[in-house]
Amino acid sequence: MSERRPYRRPVDPKWWWAPGAYRAYTLRELTGVAIAIYGAVLFFGLLSLAGGPERYDGFLQFLKSPVSILLHVLLFIAVVYHVKTWFETLPKTQPKMIVDGKQVPAETITKYATMVAAACSVVLLLFTIWVAR
């Protein structure tokens, strides 16, 4: 008897960089790494705060450095892209919303979800400023 060998379609090793949906998916997933890096920056700030005034002052000096400012600008761009694509994916992953017998358009769901997230961010920022006084 011969050995069974199922057909395997050839896959280009650079499938993830093909124009269109694959590239957008890859970039979106990579922005998750940027969010993890920013979480690590915040965690190191917390550790330096626990380490005493000298360590925390060193952390604050690092945050003022050009390298840190460039890092934060790049991370901000990545986070904005991540948020944008997250809310564009939202209507595709949830059940259809029916209001007054009509399906709510995907653009409306994305718009309102983004506005709610922006409002929550502003409230959190204002709360943080109020607590820091």
Side-chain angles (χ1 to χ4, degrees):
M1 267 189 136
S2 65
E3 180 181 332
R4 182 170 178 245
R5 292 184 287 169
Y7 173 74
R8 293 191 183 178
R9 187 177 71 148
V11 178
D12 182 15
K14 295 182 182 176
W15 66 266
W16 52 272
W17 196 245
Y22 289 137
R23 185 179 298 173
Y25 171 77
T26 303
L27 289 174
R28 185 195 179 301
E29 293 303 311
L30 283 175
T31 59
V33 175
I35 291 171
I37 291 169
Y38 190 68
V41 169
L42 293 177
F43 183 69
F44 284 120
L46 187 62
L47 289 178
S48 68
L49 184 62
E54 298 83 22
R55 286 186 61 192
Y56 187 64
D57 287 339
F59 178 72
L60 290 178
Q61 289 304 316
F62 166 72
L63 290 180
K64 294 176 185 176
S65 70
V67 171
S68 176
I69 292 170
L70 177 64
L71 174 70
H72 280 78
V73 167
L74 294 175
L75 291 176
F76 180 74
I77 292 168
V79 167
V80 168
Y81 180 76
H82 188 83
V83 168
K84 176 186 175 295
T85 58
W86 178 270
F87 286 116
E88 287 173 350
T89 304
L90 182 66
K92 298 174 187 175
T93 59
Q94 70 178 19
K96 293 179 182 178
M97 289 182 63
I98 308 296
V99 176
D100 294 330
K102 296 181 182 178
Q103 182 177 346
V104 178
E107 298 81 24
T108 303
I109 296 170
T110 300
K111 181 175 74 171
Y112 282 109
T114 305
M115 288 180 357
V116 168
C120 290
S121 296
V122 167
V123 168
L124 183 60
L125 177 66
L126 293 174
F127 178 73
T128 304
I129 292 170
W130 179 70
V131 169
R133 286 183 168 204

